[in-house]
Amino acid sequence: MENNLSIAEIKARIGAEIFTEAEWEAWQADSRKGVQQLIQRRKRLLEKRQAKLEAFEARLTYERQLHQAGYSLIAGVDEVGRGPIAGPVVAAAVILPMDLSAKEWIEINDSKTLSFAQREQYAQFIQSEALAYQIVEVSNKQIDQLNILNATKLAMQQALAELTPKPDYALIDAVTVPNLTIPQQAIIKGDQRSLSIAAASIIAKVHRDHWMMQLAERYPEFQFEQNMGYGTAAHIEALHHYGVTPYHRQSFAPVPSIQKRYTENKHNYTN
């Protein structure tokens, strides 16, 4: 097939993906260096797409095996906020539809791999498309009473209990939740290995981030909208300078020592 198109025209055709198989074969035989660069770029793009698709299919392995075993309402469960020194721990449980289009769901992945804007966008999509979802907060005071692991399990347990329709199986990120009436499976790095858990991780993260951003309006000195309650250097410095808020975790260092210091000096926040 004769190549009458310029390199710019071929680039536009490849970019828009409007070419025939015969044209593609002809371009591969084209001796022009610019055309061959376009061919190699296209091949790399296809390889990336294939790898992304295979990763998406892998994230559905657990769900598909459970569907084949007869389970139809599979809940993915994850939490966010175990590490911060301020704010709640938040758990989410999500039941996704059984038939998920790769085109629509391929970008749903562990929330930690996504940008703030992506999480915001995907959280809205998940919540609109899910068969059911629930988000539960367990406060910093409950964390201090129960310890962070038990507080996490409580949040997950409540999120599952409040789902409607009720799930018949739970896939949970790393944790085994007590007192469930349905079978469960704890998956290490579940937010990377299960699409349902990844979806839960996204909506939990977005919910907690919004919670911390609202708290930042009340306590602007701590810049919670930036650190989300994690113990950054600037956050610790603010604690030493301004004292401890009612939303800091008394069971997390260095909060107790700073609390003691400011209690003695009567410089604590009172509301």
Side-chain angles (χ1 to χ4, degrees):
M1 181 178 182
E2 186 177 353
N3 288 317
N4 297 318
L5 298 178
S6 68
I7 293 175
E9 289 172 325
I10 294 173
K11 181 179 180 180
R13 296 280 292 276
I14 291 177
E17 298 188 337
I18 49 172
F19 54 86
T20 66
E21 185 175 342
E23 286 175 320
W24 177 251
E25 291 178 355
W27 294 339
Q28 289 189 91
D30 195 309
S31 61
R32 288 175 291 179
K33 181 178 179 180
V35 174
Q36 290 307 307
Q37 289 175 337
L38 292 173
I39 294 294
Q40 293 306 313
R41 191 179 306 163
R42 171 68 177 177
K43 287 181 177 179
R44 289 193 295 270
L45 175 62
L46 293 177
E47 289 172 356
K48 288 181 180 179
R49 283 185 183 176
Q50 183 60 30
K52 201 170 188 178
L53 180 60
E54 290 175 0
F56 167 75
E57 295 292 336
R59 289 196 295 278
L60 284 172
T61 300
Y62 291 98
E63 287 84 348
R64 286 175 173 162
Q65 289 175 346
L66 290 169
H67 289 157
Q68 292 174 359
Y71 297 99
S72 59
L73 297 173
I74 300 163
V77 188
D78 201 4
E79 55 71 33
V80 64
R82 291 179 68 172
I85 62 174
V89 62
V90 174
V94 183
I95 302 176
L96 299 181
M98 291 180 67
D99 297 321
L100 300 176
S101 163
K103 182 179 180 181
E104 294 180 328
W105 291 88
I106 197 167
E107 301 294 341
I108 304 303
N109 206 339
D110 174 10
S111 63
K112 295 185 289 296
T113 68
L114 305 174
S115 68
F116 180 89
Q118 287 174 321
R119 290 194 297 267
E120 293 284 322
Q121 176 187 346
Y122 300 154
Q124 291 185 12
F125 172 74
I126 292 163
Q127 290 171 332
S128 67
E129 297 295 322
L131 297 180
Y133 72 90
Q134 280 294 335
I135 302 170
V136 170
E137 304 164 5
V138 171
S139 73
N140 60 298
K141 295 189 183 302
Q142 290 174 286
I143 292 169
D144 291 336
Q145 293 171 355
L146 299 172
N147 76 42
I148 187 59
L149 178 58
N150 287 332
T152 297
K153 292 180 178 181
L154 176 62
M156 290 177 163
Q157 182 185 42
Q158 290 180 349
L160 282 166
E162 294 173 14
L163 280 175
T164 302
K166 299 298 182 185
D168 52 18
Y169 201 100
L171 295 173
I172 305 174
D173 184 38
V175 174
T176 299
V177 177
N179 303 320
L180 291 189
T181 59
I182 59 173
Q184 63 177 297
Q185 183 174 0
I187 304 173
I188 302 300
K189 296 184 178 180
D191 46 9
Q192 300 173 28
R193 301 170 63 193
S194 160
L195 193 72
S196 299
I197 296 177
S201 79
I202 291 170
I203 65 172
K205 173 64 174 169
V206 169
H207 180 92
R208 189 179 187 280
D209 282 357
H210 287 183
W211 197 99
M212 295 304 300
M213 288 187 285
Q214 290 177 352
L215 190 65
E217 296 176 5
R218 189 171 180 182
Y219 300 103
E221 305 88 6
F222 292 92
Q223 299 181 327
F224 288 133
E225 78 283 3
Q226 296 182 28
N227 59 54
M228 300 305 171
Y230 284 87
T232 63
H235 186 177
I236 300 301
E237 183 179 351
L239 273 172
H240 284 291
H241 189 73
Y242 297 104
V244 178
T245 75
Y247 299 94
H248 281 93
R249 301 175 183 178
Q250 296 289 341
S251 54
F252 279 54
V255 175
S257 60
I258 297 174
Q259 169 73 22
K260 181 179 179 181
R261 170 189 163 195
Y262 274 81
T263 298
E264 291 171 351
N265 295 323
K266 298 182 180 179
H267 287 163
N268 264 354
Y269 282 103
T270 58
N271 54 51

